[in-house]
């Protein structure tokens, strides 16, 4: 994501590796944003599902809006070459949102994190849901925000999706909220209900969490009925070993 492209510093690239018939993975193609420019950081967030690759450029400028961020969609042509098909932007995006900081995709649903976007005038972060229609075009269908009322809650740098569930971490947990402990962290589960809308369904916290653990601030993963949340600063027997909660 810091690679130069034809002299444009930190424009960024994404490398596609493909498994050959002998089972070995080999570099196949280099992806860049078709309208990319210096400092875009293309490739910081990436996701792949089936025949779709999405790449985030969270420092990309959008017209006169600096650092708004963008997501590029690639699919393969009949020869197997990856071609840029679409550029996704938030419908209400603004300067400094950082859309594309992290991405997740599962089938016809993708979610992109705008890490610094405003939520009720506070910079708590927003996650945008995009869905692919029968015409193969991706459109924004939802904007996800955290329900916690404190200004110092914000979405972490990671999210994940599986089927009808999206998992998003919260990297700050302090302030006038019941049960809040500074730096312990939380993870939020959003579920798509029968009406097609996504709603916050559950808040997850570590049963033995402590101040500064950072639960939800590192890796997140979800697959069907099982999810894993990282807590990189958690201690075990006094040592900062980190932990993962299932």
């Amino acid at each position: 994501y810091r690679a130069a492209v034809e002299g444009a510093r930190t424009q960024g690239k994404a490398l596609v590796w493909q498994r050959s018939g002998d089972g070995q993975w080999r570099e196949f193609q280099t992806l860049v944003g078709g309208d990319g420019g210096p400092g875009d950081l293309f490739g910081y967030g990436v996701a792949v599902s089936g025949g779709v690759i999405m790449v985030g450029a969270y420092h990309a400028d959008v017209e006169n809006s600096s650092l708004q961020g963008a997501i590029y969609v690639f699919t393969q042509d009949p020869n197997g070459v990856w071609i840029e098909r679409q550029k996704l932007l938030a419908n209400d995006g603004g300067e400094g949102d950082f859309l594309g900081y992290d991405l997740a995709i599962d089938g016809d649903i993708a979610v992109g994190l705008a890490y610094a976007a405003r939520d009720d005038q506070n910079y708590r972060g927003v996650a945008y849901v995009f869905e692919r229609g029968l015409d193969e075009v991706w459109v924004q269908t939802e904007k996800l925000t955290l329900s916690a009322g404190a200004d110092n809650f914000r979405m972490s740098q990671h999210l994940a999706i599986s089927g009808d569930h999206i998992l998003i971490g919260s990297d700050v947990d302090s302030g006038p909220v019941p049960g809040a402990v500074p730096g312990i962290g939380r993870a939020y589960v959003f579920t798509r209900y029968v009406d097609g809308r996504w709603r916050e369904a559950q808040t997850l916290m570590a049963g033995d969490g402590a101040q500064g653990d950072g639960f939800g601030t590192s890796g997140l993963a979800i697959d069907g009925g099982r999810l894993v949340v990282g807590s990189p600063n958690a201690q075990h027997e006094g040592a900062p070993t980190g932990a993962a909660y299932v």
Side-chain angles (χ1 to χ4, degrees):
Y1 71 97
R2 292 189 179 276
V5 177
E6 297 180 353
R9 298 181 60 184
T10 65
Q11 178 175 330
K13 304 177 181 179
L15 302 180
V16 180
W17 294 72
Q18 188 164 295
R19 188 168 55 184
S20 303
D22 60 3
Q24 297 297 308
W25 292 88
R26 294 181 172 85
E27 187 176 327
F28 176 73
Q29 189 177 342
T30 299
L31 307 180
V32 297
D35 61 350
D40 280 358
L41 301 184
F42 176 94
Y44 192 89
V46 295
V48 61
S49 177
V52 178
I53 291 176
M54 290 191 176
V55 183
Y58 80 93
H59 267 195
D61 297 338
V62 178
E63 297 180 349
N64 296 322
S65 181
S66 63
L67 306 181
Q68 180 173 326
I71 299 169
Y72 294 81
V73 181
F74 297 83
T75 63
Q76 289 177 292
D77 68 12
N79 297 317
V81 177
W82 292 92
I83 305 296
E84 182 184 320
R85 304 295 187 184
Q86 195 174 348
K87 180 179 178 180
L88 305 181
L89 304 172
N91 292 343
D92 61 349
E95 184 171 333
D97 280 357
F98 292 173
L99 176 66
Y101 199 96
D102 196 22
L103 306 171
I105 179 173
D106 186 12
D108 293 327
I109 302 175
V111 56
L113 177 64
Y115 175 63
R118 288 189 177 188
D119 169 20
D120 296 330
Q121 304 304 312
N122 298 311
Y123 295 93
R124 301 198 305 160
V126 170
Y128 293 93
V129 179
F130 300 88
E131 296 191 29
R132 179 171 55 181
L134 296 177
D135 57 0
E136 298 296 319
V137 175
W138 292 83
V139 297
Q140 180 186 319
T141 58
E142 199 85 38
K143 176 181 177 179
L144 307 182
T145 59
L146 302 182
S147 64
D151 293 349
N152 44 9
F153 279 78
R154 66 178 297 164
M155 291 186 179
S156 77
Q157 303 170 10
H158 302 282
L159 46 73
I161 183 174
S162 177
D164 293 327
H165 303 286
I166 293 173
L167 181 64
I168 303 175
S170 172
D171 67 356
V172 177
D173 189 356
S174 60
V177 178
V181 178
I184 189 173
R186 297 182 177 189
Y188 295 81
V189 179
F190 291 81
T191 297
R192 183 172 58 172
Y193 289 87
V194 293
D195 62 358
R197 299 295 304 275
W198 293 84
R199 299 182 180 89
E200 187 179 312
Q202 192 173 352
T203 301
L204 307 178
M205 294 180 285
D208 59 351
Q211 180 172 336
D213 279 0
F215 178 86
T217 66
S218 59
L220 301 174
I222 181 171
D223 184 15
R226 184 175 291 110
L227 59 82
V228 183
V229 180
S231 184
N233 303 320
Q235 297 196 4
H236 176 66
E237 296 181 352
T241 58
Y245 292 82
V246 181

